[in-house]
Amino acid sequence: MKPILEKIDQQMAEKLYRGASLALYHHGKWEEYYVGCSEEKLATQTGLTYDLASVSKVVGVGTILLFLLQEGMIELDQSLKTYYPRFHDESVTIRQLVTHTTGIDPYIPNRDRLDFETLKAAIEAIRVTDNKAFHYTDINLILLGFMLEELLDQPLNVILQERIFTPWGMTETQFGPVKTAVPTKKGEQPGVVHDPKAKVLGVHCGSAGLFSTLMDLELFLNHYLEEEFTRNLSQTISFSKPRSVVWNLEAGGWLDHTGYTGPFLLVNPEQQLAAIFLTNRTYDEDDRPLWIEKRRELYQVIVETLEETT
């Protein structure tokens, strides 16, 4: 795994992030690595809890949707309004929501001044345009979270706890705030949710707000590597951009999802390979375009190195 660790060392030297927790799966087992620091004078170590940001989309709502699709409880080409009558536009389908091709304009006036009820109402009335090209927005997964609460008649945190976290033994995964978590911004209280909409929506947010650890995410990805519900995930269900149900699709059967604060998951059920990368790259500064470019470089090294082990 030397090329991966060398790349991480290089990126830390470039001050993209202070440190990271890394897990790699190959030959039927996980290997963990802890590099650098999580904050000043605190070495990265086992057991750290991280803000997952948008990785929450696959750890939570995305996985529940796979269950419901397998059970026949929902259909990809049905209108969201069929399952969630509070939404105003019948043209938006589940397929569009899980592939970010809804045409939704995510702009919400005065968003950061809204409380839970007014933000939820604004999202339910969000403007839908005719442009159905891929456009990534949290609103899609927030709406799907609202839909799950309506369908299953439970708050989202209870749905995730009862259907994923408890049965899969994920005892360290939960909605924030989590006081013991790695801070995502220097000078801010540790464990505060980074995402502004998730701060307001709390345990009802389907797009962000979950916190987890390296070990819990290993348990999570074990099910993606081993179980039947992931069998068709490598098939694209979008013509605009290669996407599966919430996950992004890459060449060679790789699925991935990223989070704003720095974490990402990579899993390849066909090749039985996976990677978990957890960091708080927003701690010192937030140059997102640079990070997207550099994250792609790290992706490529991880994928190439793991594939060479098969």
Side-chain angles (χ1 to χ4, degrees):
M1 300 301 117
K2 186 179 178 182
I4 299 172
L5 296 173
E6 286 178 345
K7 187 64 175 178
I8 291 171
D9 284 341
Q10 176 194 327
Q11 292 190 338
M12 289 193 299
E14 294 172 354
K15 298 186 177 180
L16 291 173
Y17 44 86
R18 286 176 177 261
S21 299
L22 172 72
L24 302 171
Y25 183 87
H26 62 117
H27 297 305
K29 64 179 182 179
W30 288 98
E31 298 173 358
E32 294 88 26
Y33 303 87
Y34 304 94
V35 292
C37 297
S38 58
E39 52 187 305
E40 291 96 332
K41 300 178 182 178
L42 285 177
T44 304
Q45 58 187 294
T46 183
L48 292 180
T49 300
Y50 291 82
D51 184 337
L52 296 185
S54 284
V55 172
S56 303
K57 292 178 171 69
V58 290
V59 173
V61 168
T63 298
I64 299 294
L65 291 171
L66 290 173
F67 295 163
L68 298 187
L69 285 165
Q70 187 179 47
E71 295 164 12
M73 193 169 178
I74 60 173
E75 296 178 8
L76 280 176
D77 292 313
Q78 271 288 359
S79 168
L80 170 64
K81 196 170 174 64
T82 302
Y83 309 114
Y84 191 61
R86 291 169 60 107
F87 192 63
H88 69 98
D89 191 314
E90 291 185 4
S91 72
V92 173
T93 67
I94 306 303
R95 185 186 299 270
Q96 291 171 345
L97 288 160
V98 299
T99 58
H100 297 281
T101 55
T102 53
I104 282 174
D105 176 357
Y107 176 70
I108 298 173
N110 301 314
R111 183 199 67 190
D112 294 339
R113 300 178 190 173
L114 304 181
D115 62 13
F116 174 82
E117 291 298 337
T118 52
L119 180 56
K120 186 177 183 185
I123 291 169
E124 291 168 344
I126 202 82
R127 189 170 80 93
V128 179
T129 73
D130 293 329
N131 182 3
K132 304 303 180 182
F134 174 81
H135 179 66
Y136 183 92
T137 171
D138 288 343
I139 301 297
N140 294 320
L141 269 291
I142 292 172
L143 284 167
L144 287 166
F146 293 163
M147 180 195 78
L148 292 181
E149 292 187 321
E150 179 88 8
L151 268 179
L152 302 174
D153 195 28
Q154 290 178 308
L156 189 58
N157 62 320
V158 175
I159 294 170
L160 302 186
Q161 191 67 51
E162 292 186 354
R163 294 178 179 241
I164 304 174
F165 305 155
T166 296
W168 290 3
M170 296 170 64
T171 59
E172 298 173 312
T173 305
Q174 60 186 301
F175 277 99
V178 178
K179 291 181 180 178
T180 57
V182 171
T184 56
K185 192 171 182 181
K186 191 174 183 178
E188 282 196 358
Q189 184 179 351
V192 174
V193 177
H194 186 271
D195 184 271
K197 292 188 292 298
K199 282 180 183 177
V200 177
L201 296 174
V203 300
H204 306 283
C205 187
S207 64
L210 288 177
F211 287 69
S212 192
T213 63
L214 203 63
M215 296 303 181
D216 259 22
L217 292 172
E218 288 181 10
L219 294 172
F220 173 76
L221 286 185
N222 282 343
H223 290 268
Y224 274 78
L225 290 162
E226 298 167 2
E227 294 193 10
E228 187 73 10
F229 74 91
T230 67
R231 185 179 59 179
N232 297 320
L233 270 178
S234 61
Q235 298 177 7
T236 183
I237 61 169
S238 168
F239 297 107
S240 178
K241 185 179 188 294
R243 301 285 299 189
S244 185
V245 176
V246 182
W247 292 85
N248 184 47
L249 280 177
E250 299 282 356
W254 286 93
L255 303 160
D256 73 73
H257 210 291
T258 65
Y260 192 96
T261 51
F264 60 80
L265 302 182
L266 279 164
V267 61
N268 193 319
E270 295 172 13
Q271 296 191 56
Q272 288 291 290
L273 300 169
I276 303 162
F277 181 83
L278 299 177
T279 190
N280 55 337
R281 67 104 193 160
T282 52
Y283 182 77
D284 287 301
E285 58 181 288
D286 183 4
D287 187 340
R288 187 164 176 259
L290 176 63
W291 169 238
I292 290 171
E293 173 191 339
K294 296 295 185 177
R295 181 179 63 202
R296 172 55 59 181
E297 294 177 9
L298 179 57
Y299 263 36
Q300 290 171 343
V301 173
I302 291 173
V303 166
E304 289 168 6
T305 305
L306 284 177
E307 287 184 341
E308 286 172 1
T309 69
T310 58

mmCIF file with all atom_site columns, all heavy atoms in Angstrom, residues 49-70:
data_model
loop_
_atom_site.group_PDB
_atom_site.id
_atom_site.type_symbol
_atom_site.label_atom_id
_atom_site.label_alt_id
_atom_site.label_comp_id
_atom_site.label_asym_id
_atom_site.label_entity_id
_atom_site.label_seq_id
_atom_site.pdbx_PDB_ins_code
_atom_site.Cartn_x
_atom_site.Cartn_y
_atom_site.Cartn_z
_atom_site.occupancy
_atom_site.B_iso_or_equiv
_atom_site.pdbx_formal_charge
_atom_site.auth_seq_id
_atom_site.auth_comp_id
_atom_site.auth_asym_id
_atom_site.auth_atom_id
_atom_site.pdbx_PDB_model_num
ATOM 1   N N   . THR A 1 49 ? -14.052 9.887  15.576 1.00 0.00 ? 49 THR A N   1
ATOM 2   C CA  . THR A 1 49 ? -15.358 10.074 14.944 1.00 0.00 ? 49 THR A CA  1
ATOM 3   C C   . THR A 1 49 ? -15.288 11.291 14.023 1.00 0.00 ? 49 THR A C   1
ATOM 4   O O   . THR A 1 49 ? -14.799 12.347 14.415 1.00 0.00 ? 49 THR A O   1
ATOM 5   C CB  . THR A 1 49 ? -16.446 10.297 16.009 1.00 0.00 ? 49 THR A CB  1
ATOM 6   O OG1 . THR A 1 49 ? -16.497 9.149  16.862 1.00 0.00 ? 49 THR A OG1 1
ATOM 7   C CG2 . THR A 1 49 ? -17.811 10.502 15.372 1.00 0.00 ? 49 THR A CG2 1
ATOM 8   N N   . TYR A 1 50 ? -15.797 11.130 12.799 1.00 0.00 ? 50 TYR A N   1
ATOM 9   C CA  . TYR A 1 50 ? -15.731 12.185 11.788 1.00 0.00 ? 50 TYR A CA  1
ATOM 10  C C   . TYR A 1 50 ? -17.126 12.586 11.314 1.00 0.00 ? 50 TYR A C   1
ATOM 11  O O   . TYR A 1 50 ? -18.045 11.748 11.250 1.00 0.00 ? 50 TYR A O   1
ATOM 12  C CB  . TYR A 1 50 ? -14.947 11.703 10.565 1.00 0.00 ? 50 TYR A CB  1
ATOM 13  C CG  . TYR A 1 50 ? -13.473 11.492 10.784 1.00 0.00 ? 50 TYR A CG  1
ATOM 14  C CD1 . TYR A 1 50 ? -13.001 10.312 11.357 1.00 0.00 ? 50 TYR A CD1 1
ATOM 15  C CD2 . TYR A 1 50 ? -12.534 12.455 10.398 1.00 0.00 ? 50 TYR A CD2 1
ATOM 16  C CE1 . TYR A 1 50 ? -11.634 10.097 11.535 1.00 0.00 ? 50 TYR A CE1 1
ATOM 17  C CE2 . TYR A 1 50 ? -11.168 12.244 10.570 1.00 0.00 ? 50 TYR A CE2 1
ATOM 18  C CZ  . TYR A 1 50 ? -10.732 11.066 11.144 1.00 0.00 ? 50 TYR A CZ  1
ATOM 19  O OH  . TYR A 1 50 ? -9.382  10.864 11.320 1.00 0.00 ? 50 TYR A OH  1
ATOM 20  N N   . ASP A 1 51 ? -17.259 13.856 10.934 1.00 0.00 ? 51 ASP A N   1
ATOM 21  C CA  . ASP A 1 51 ? -18.447 14.353 10.246 1.00 0.00 ? 51 ASP A CA  1
ATOM 22  C C   . ASP A 1 51 ? -18.408 13.803 8.822  1.00 0.00 ? 51 ASP A C   1
ATOM 23  O O   . ASP A 1 51 ? -17.512 14.130 8.049  1.00 0.00 ? 51 ASP A O   1
ATOM 24  C CB  . ASP A 1 51 ? -18.415 15.882 10.241 1.00 0.00 ? 51 ASP A CB  1
ATOM 25  C CG  . ASP A 1 51 ? -19.655 16.536 9.636  1.00 0.00 ? 51 ASP A CG  1
ATOM 26  O OD1 . ASP A 1 51 ? -20.350 15.876 8.839  1.00 0.00 ? 51 ASP A OD1 1
ATOM 27  O OD2 . ASP A 1 51 ? -19.910 17.716 9.938  1.00 0.00 ? 51 ASP A OD2 1
ATOM 28  N N   . LEU A 1 52 ? -19.409 12.992 8.455  1.00 0.00 ? 52 LEU A N   1
ATOM 29  C CA  . LEU A 1 52 ? -19.417 12.355 7.139  1.00 0.00 ? 52 LEU A CA  1
ATOM 30  C C   . LEU A 1 52 ? -19.883 13.277 6.026  1.00 0.00 ? 52 LEU A C   1
ATOM 31  O O   . LEU A 1 52 ? -19.701 12.956 4.847  1.00 0.00 ? 52 LEU A O   1
ATOM 32  C CB  . LEU A 1 52 ? -20.305 11.109 7.157  1.00 0.00 ? 52 LEU A CB  1
ATOM 33  C CG  . LEU A 1 52 ? -19.866 9.958  8.063  1.00 0.00 ? 52 LEU A CG  1
ATOM 34  C CD1 . LEU A 1 52 ? -20.794 8.766  7.859  1.00 0.00 ? 52 LEU A CD1 1
ATOM 35  C CD2 . LEU A 1 52 ? -18.421 9.561  7.809  1.00 0.00 ? 52 LEU A CD2 1
ATOM 36  N N   . ALA A 1 53 ? -20.515 14.404 6.381  1.00 0.00 ? 53 ALA A N   1
ATOM 37  C CA  . ALA A 1 53 ? -21.059 15.311 5.358  1.00 0.00 ? 53 ALA A CA  1
ATOM 38  C C   . ALA A 1 53 ? -21.896 14.496 4.368  1.00 0.00 ? 53 ALA A C   1
ATOM 39  O O   . ALA A 1 53 ? -22.732 13.701 4.782  1.00 0.00 ? 53 ALA A O   1
ATOM 40  C CB  . ALA A 1 53 ? -19.935 16.093 4.696  1.00 0.00 ? 53 ALA A CB  1
ATOM 41  N N   . SER A 1 54 ? -21.659 14.633 3.073  1.00 0.00 ? 54 SER A N   1
ATOM 42  C CA  . SER A 1 54 ? -22.513 13.974 2.078  1.00 0.00 ? 54 SER A CA  1
ATOM 43  C C   . SER A 1 54 ? -22.293 12.478 1.945  1.00 0.00 ? 54 SER A C   1
ATOM 44  O O   . SER A 1 54 ? -23.078 11.796 1.264  1.00 0.00 ? 54 SER A O   1
ATOM 45  C CB  . SER A 1 54 ? -22.354 14.632 0.715  1.00 0.00 ? 54 SER A CB  1
ATOM 46  O OG  . SER A 1 54 ? -23.046 15.866 0.686  1.00 0.00 ? 54 SER A OG  1
ATOM 47  N N   . VAL A 1 55 ? -21.267 11.932 2.570  1.00 0.00 ? 55 VAL A N   1
ATOM 48  C CA  . VAL A 1 55 ? -21.166 10.474 2.644  1.00 0.00 ? 55 VAL A CA  1
ATOM 49  C C   . VAL A 1 55 ? -22.384 9.911  3.393  1.00 0.00 ? 55 VAL A C   1
ATOM 50  O O   . VAL A 1 55 ? -22.765 8.755  3.198  1.00 0.00 ? 55 VAL A O   1
ATOM 51  C CB  . VAL A 1 55 ? -19.833 10.050 3.301  1.00 0.00 ? 55 VAL A CB  1
ATOM 52  C CG1 . VAL A 1 55 ? -19.796 8.553  3.572  1.00 0.00 ? 55 VAL A CG1 1
ATOM 53  C CG2 . VAL A 1 55 ? -18.662 10.436 2.398  1.00 0.00 ? 55 VAL A CG2 1
ATOM 54  N N   . SER A 1 56 ? -23.027 10.768 4.188  1.00 0.00 ? 56 SER A N   1
ATOM 55  C CA  . SER A 1 56 ? -24.281 10.389 4.855  1.00 0.00 ? 56 SER A CA  1
ATOM 56  C C   . SER A 1 56 ? -25.326 9.905  3.855  1.00 0.00 ? 56 SER A C   1
ATOM 57  O O   . SER A 1 56 ? -26.193 9.085  4.203  1.00 0.00 ? 56 SER A O   1
ATOM 58  C CB  . SER A 1 56 ? -24.869 11.592 5.616  1.00 0.00 ? 56 SER A CB  1
ATOM 59  O OG  . SER A 1 56 ? -23.965 12.126 6.555  1.00 0.00 ? 56 SER A OG  1
ATOM 60  N N   . LYS A 1 57 ? -25.279 10.407 2.623  1.00 0.00 ? 57 LYS A N   1
ATOM 61  C CA  . LYS A 1 57 ? -26.283 10.067 1.620  1.00 0.00 ? 57 LYS A CA  1
ATOM 62  C C   . LYS A 1 57 ? -26.331 8.567  1.334  1.00 0.00 ? 57 LYS A C   1
ATOM 63  O O   . LYS A 1 57 ? -27.406 7.998  1.129  1.00 0.00 ? 57 LYS A O   1
ATOM 64  C CB  . LYS A 1 57 ? -26.026 10.839 0.322  1.00 0.00 ? 57 LYS A CB  1
ATOM 65  C CG  . LYS A 1 57 ? -26.257 12.338 0.399  1.00 0.00 ? 57 LYS A CG  1
ATOM 66  C CD  . LYS A 1 57 ? -25.919 13.012 -0.923 1.00 0.00 ? 57 LYS A CD  1
ATOM 67  C CE  . LYS A 1 57 ? -26.346 14.470 -0.968 1.00 0.00 ? 57 LYS A CE  1
ATOM 68  N NZ  . LYS A 1 57 ? -25.579 15.338 -0.083 1.00 0.00 ? 57 LYS A NZ  1
ATOM 69  N N   . VAL A 1 58 ? -25.153 7.922  1.288  1.00 0.00 ? 58 VAL A N   1
ATOM 70  C CA  . VAL A 1 58 ? -25.138 6.487  1.004  1.00 0.00 ? 58 VAL A CA  1
ATOM 71  C C   . VAL A 1 58 ? -25.203 5.655  2.285  1.00 0.00 ? 58 VAL A C   1
ATOM 72  O O   . VAL A 1 58 ? -25.782 4.568  2.287  1.00 0.00 ? 58 VAL A O   1
ATOM 73  C CB  . VAL A 1 58 ? -23.904 6.089  0.162  1.00 0.00 ? 58 VAL A CB  1
ATOM 74  C CG1 . VAL A 1 58 ? -24.030 6.621  -1.250 1.00 0.00 ? 58 VAL A CG1 1
ATOM 75  C CG2 . VAL A 1 58 ? -22.604 6.557  0.792  1.00 0.00 ? 58 VAL A CG2 1
ATOM 76  N N   . VAL A 1 59 ? -24.626 6.151  3.354  1.00 0.00 ? 59 VAL A N   1
ATOM 77  C CA  . VAL A 1 59 ? -24.660 5.416  4.621  1.00 0.00 ? 59 VAL A CA  1
ATOM 78  C C   . VAL A 1 59 ? -26.091 5.344  5.161  1.00 0.00 ? 59 VAL A C   1
ATOM 79  O O   . VAL A 1 59 ? -26.464 4.362  5.790  1.00 0.00 ? 59 VAL A O   1
ATOM 80  C CB  . VAL A 1 59 ? -23.711 6.066  5.648  1.00 0.00 ? 59 VAL A CB  1
ATOM 81  C CG1 . VAL A 1 59 ? -23.861 5.429  7.030  1.00 0.00 ? 59 VAL A CG1 1
ATOM 82  C CG2 . VAL A 1 59 ? -22.262 5.939  5.176  1.00 0.00 ? 59 VAL A CG2 1
ATOM 83  N N   . GLY A 1 60 ? -26.885 6.370  4.866  1.00 0.00 ? 60 GLY A N   1
ATOM 84  C CA  . GLY A 1 60 ? -28.252 6.427  5.373  1.00 0.00 ? 60 GLY A CA  1
ATOM 85  C C   . GLY A 1 60 ? -29.303 6.165  4.319  1.00 0.00 ? 60 GLY A C   1
ATOM 86  O O   . GLY A 1 60 ? -29.615 5.019  3.983  1.00 0.00 ? 60 GLY A O   1
ATOM 87  N N   . VAL A 1 61 ? -29.864 7.230  3.757  1.00 0.00 ? 61 VAL A N   1
ATOM 88  C CA  . VAL A 1 61 ? -31.013 7.148  2.846  1.00 0.00 ? 61 VAL A CA  1
ATOM 89  C C   . VAL A 1 61 ? -30.737 6.244  1.648  1.00 0.00 ? 61 VAL A C   1
ATOM 90  O O   . VAL A 1 61 ? -31.592 5.435  1.262  1.00 0.00 ? 61 VAL A O   1
ATOM 91  C CB  . VAL A 1 61 ? -31.419 8.560  2.375  1.00 0.00 ? 61 VAL A CB  1
ATOM 92  C CG1 . VAL A 1 61 ? -32.406 8.486  1.211  1.00 0.00 ? 61 VAL A CG1 1
ATOM 93  C CG2 . VAL A 1 61 ? -32.049 9.333  3.532  1.00 0.00 ? 61 VAL A CG2 1
ATOM 94  N N   . GLY A 1 62 ? -29.551 6.329  1.047  1.00 0.00 ? 62 GLY A N   1
ATOM 95  C CA  . GLY A 1 62 ? -29.251 5.525  -0.130 1.00 0.00 ? 62 GLY A CA  1
ATOM 96  C C   . GLY A 1 62 ? -29.392 4.032  0.127  1.00 0.00 ? 62 GLY A C   1
ATOM 97  O O   . GLY A 1 62 ? -29.913 3.292  -0.721 1.00 0.00 ? 62 GLY A O   1
ATOM 98  N N   . THR A 1 63 ? -28.942 3.575  1.292  1.00 0.00 ? 63 THR A N   1
ATOM 99  C CA  . THR A 1 63 ? -29.029 2.156  1.624  1.00 0.00 ? 63 THR A CA  1
ATOM 100 C C   . THR A 1 63 ? -30.476 1.739  1.883  1.00 0.00 ? 63 THR A C   1
ATOM 101 O O   . THR A 1 63 ? -30.910 0.667  1.428  1.00 0.00 ? 63 THR A O   1
ATOM 102 C CB  . THR A 1 63 ? -28.128 1.847  2.832  1.00 0.00 ? 63 THR A CB  1
ATOM 103 O OG1 . THR A 1 63 ? -26.763 2.133  2.471  1.00 0.00 ? 63 THR A OG1 1
ATOM 104 C CG2 . THR A 1 63 ? -28.243 0.394  3.249  1.00 0.00 ? 63 THR A CG2 1
ATOM 105 N N   . ILE A 1 64 ? -31.241 2.564  2.581  1.00 0.00 ? 64 ILE A N   1
ATOM 106 C CA  . ILE A 1 64 ? -32.658 2.254  2.811  1.00 0.00 ? 64 ILE A CA  1
ATOM 107 C C   . ILE A 1 64 ? -33.400 2.159  1.481  1.00 0.00 ? 64 ILE A C   1
ATOM 108 O O   . ILE A 1 64 ? -34.245 1.265  1.285  1.00 0.00 ? 64 ILE A O   1
ATOM 109 C CB  . ILE A 1 64 ? -33.316 3.318  3.717  1.00 0.00 ? 64 ILE A CB  1
ATOM 110 C CG1 . ILE A 1 64 ? -32.636 3.371  5.084  1.00 0.00 ? 64 ILE A CG1 1
ATOM 111 C CG2 . ILE A 1 64 ? -34.810 3.041  3.865  1.00 0.00 ? 64 ILE A CG2 1
ATOM 112 C CD1 . ILE A 1 64 ? -32.802 2.133  5.930  1.00 0.00 ? 64 ILE A CD1 1
ATOM 113 N N   . LEU A 1 65 ? -33.098 3.036  0.544  1.00 0.00 ? 65 LEU A N   1
ATOM 114 C CA  . LEU A 1 65 ? -33.747 2.993  -0.764 1.00 0.00 ? 65 LEU A CA  1
ATOM 115 C C   . LEU A 1 65 ? -33.452 1.673  -1.478 1.00 0.00 ? 65 LEU A C   1
ATOM 116 O O   . LEU A 1 65 ? -34.345 1.098  -2.122 1.00 0.00 ? 65 LEU A O   1
ATOM 117 C CB  . LEU A 1 65 ? -33.283 4.168  -1.626 1.00 0.00 ? 65 LEU A CB  1
ATOM 118 C CG  . LEU A 1 65 ? -33.757 5.551  -1.196 1.00 0.00 ? 65 LEU A CG  1
ATOM 119 C CD1 . LEU A 1 65 ? -33.047 6.623  -2.016 1.00 0.00 ? 65 LEU A CD1 1
ATOM 120 C CD2 . LEU A 1 65 ? -35.262 5.693  -1.340 1.00 0.00 ? 65 LEU A CD2 1
ATOM 121 N N   . LEU A 1 66 ? -32.240 1.174  -1.371 1.00 0.00 ? 66 LEU A N   1
ATOM 122 C CA  . LEU A 1 66 ? -31.911 -0.119 -1.976 1.00 0.00 ? 66 LEU A CA  1
ATOM 123 C C   . LEU A 1 66 ? -32.752 -1.234 -1.370 1.00 0.00 ? 66 LEU A C   1
ATOM 124 O O   . LEU A 1 66 ? -33.238 -2.124 -2.077 1.00 0.00 ? 66 LEU A O   1
ATOM 125 C CB  . LEU A 1 66 ? -30.419 -0.421 -1.806 1.00 0.00 ? 66 LEU A CB  1
ATOM 126 C CG  . LEU A 1 66 ? -29.461 0.435  -2.629 1.00 0.00 ? 66 LEU A CG  1
ATOM 127 C CD1 . LEU A 1 66 ? -28.023 0.150  -2.230 1.00 0.00 ? 66 LEU A CD1 1
ATOM 128 C CD2 . LEU A 1 66 ? -29.654 0.186  -4.117 1.00 0.00 ? 66 LEU A CD2 1
ATOM 129 N N   . PHE A 1 67 ? -32.940 -1.186 -0.050 1.00 0.00 ? 67 PHE A N   1
ATOM 130 C CA  . PHE A 1 67 ? -33.796 -2.178 0.606  1.00 0.00 ? 67 PHE A CA  1
ATOM 131 C C   . PHE A 1 67 ? -35.221 -2.117 0.051  1.00 0.00 ? 67 PHE A C   1
ATOM 132 O O   . PHE A 1 67 ? -35.818 -3.146 -0.284 1.00 0.00 ? 67 PHE A O   1
ATOM 133 C CB  . PHE A 1 67 ? -33.852 -1.935 2.119  1.00 0.00 ? 67 PHE A CB  1
ATOM 134 C CG  . PHE A 1 67 ? -32.561 -2.119 2.863  1.00 0.00 ? 67 PHE A CG  1
ATOM 135 C CD1 . PHE A 1 67 ? -32.414 -1.602 4.146  1.00 0.00 ? 67 PHE A CD1 1
ATOM 136 C CD2 . PHE A 1 67 ? -31.477 -2.798 2.304  1.00 0.00 ? 67 PHE A CD2 1
ATOM 137 C CE1 . PHE A 1 67 ? -31.235 -1.763 4.853  1.00 0.00 ? 67 PHE A CE1 1
ATOM 138 C CE2 . PHE A 1 67 ? -30.294 -2.962 3.010  1.00 0.00 ? 67 PHE A CE2 1
ATOM 139 C CZ  . PHE A 1 67 ? -30.177 -2.441 4.282  1.00 0.00 ? 67 PHE A CZ  1
ATOM 140 N N   . LEU A 1 68 ? -35.771 -0.905 -0.027 1.00 0.00 ? 68 LEU A N   1
ATOM 141 C CA  . LEU A 1 68 ? -37.169 -0.737 -0.444 1.00 0.00 ? 68 LEU A CA  1
ATOM 142 C C   . LEU A 1 68 ? -37.358 -1.091 -1.914 1.00 0.00 ? 68 LEU A C   1
ATOM 143 O O   . LEU A 1 68 ? -38.415 -1.627 -2.293 1.00 0.00 ? 68 LEU A O   1
ATOM 144 C CB  . LEU A 1 68 ? -37.637 0.694  -0.173 1.00 0.00 ? 68 LEU A CB  1
ATOM 145 C CG  . LEU A 1 68 ? -37.628 1.141  1.301  1.00 0.00 ? 68 LEU A CG  1
ATOM 146 C CD1 . LEU A 1 68 ? -38.275 2.513  1.443  1.00 0.00 ? 68 LEU A CD1 1
ATOM 147 C CD2 . LEU A 1 68 ? -38.304 0.134  2.206  1.00 0.00 ? 68 LEU A CD2 1
ATOM 148 N N   . LEU A 1 69 ? -36.371 -0.802 -2.743 1.00 0.00 ? 69 LEU A N   1
ATOM 149 C CA  . LEU A 1 69 ? -36.443 -1.203 -4.146 1.00 0.00 ? 69 LEU A CA  1
ATOM 150 C C   . LEU A 1 69 ? -36.441 -2.724 -4.266 1.00 0.00 ? 69 LEU A C   1
ATOM 151 O O   . LEU A 1 69 ? -37.202 -3.307 -5.053 1.00 0.00 ? 69 LEU A O   1
ATOM 152 C CB  . LEU A 1 69 ? -35.266 -0.610 -4.930 1.00 0.00 ? 69 LEU A CB  1
ATOM 153 C CG  . LEU A 1 69 ? -35.356 0.884  -5.237 1.00 0.00 ? 69 LEU A CG  1
ATOM 154 C CD1 . LEU A 1 69 ? -33.989 1.422  -5.671 1.00 0.00 ? 69 LEU A CD1 1
ATOM 155 C CD2 . LEU A 1 69 ? -36.394 1.156  -6.331 1.00 0.00 ? 69 LEU A CD2 1
ATOM 156 N N   . GLN A 1 70 ? -35.601 -3.370 -3.482 1.00 0.00 ? 70 GLN A N   1
ATOM 157 C CA  . GLN A 1 70 ? -35.535 -4.825 -3.503 1.00 0.00 ? 70 GLN A CA  1
ATOM 158 C C   . GLN A 1 70 ? -36.850 -5.442 -3.005 1.00 0.00 ? 70 GLN A C   1
ATOM 159 O O   . GLN A 1 70 ? -37.308 -6.463 -3.535 1.00 0.00 ? 70 GLN A O   1
ATOM 160 C CB  . GLN A 1 70 ? -34.372 -5.313 -2.637 1.00 0.00 ? 70 GLN A CB  1
ATOM 161 C CG  . GLN A 1 70 ? -34.101 -6.811 -2.725 1.00 0.00 ? 70 GLN A CG  1
ATOM 162 C CD  . GLN A 1 70 ? -32.923 -7.229 -1.872 1.00 0.00 ? 70 GLN A CD  1
ATOM 163 O OE1 . GLN A 1 70 ? -32.808 -6.840 -0.718 1.00 0.00 ? 70 GLN A OE1 1
ATOM 164 N NE2 . GLN A 1 70 ? -32.024 -8.012 -2.446 1.00 0.00 ? 70 GLN A NE2 1
#
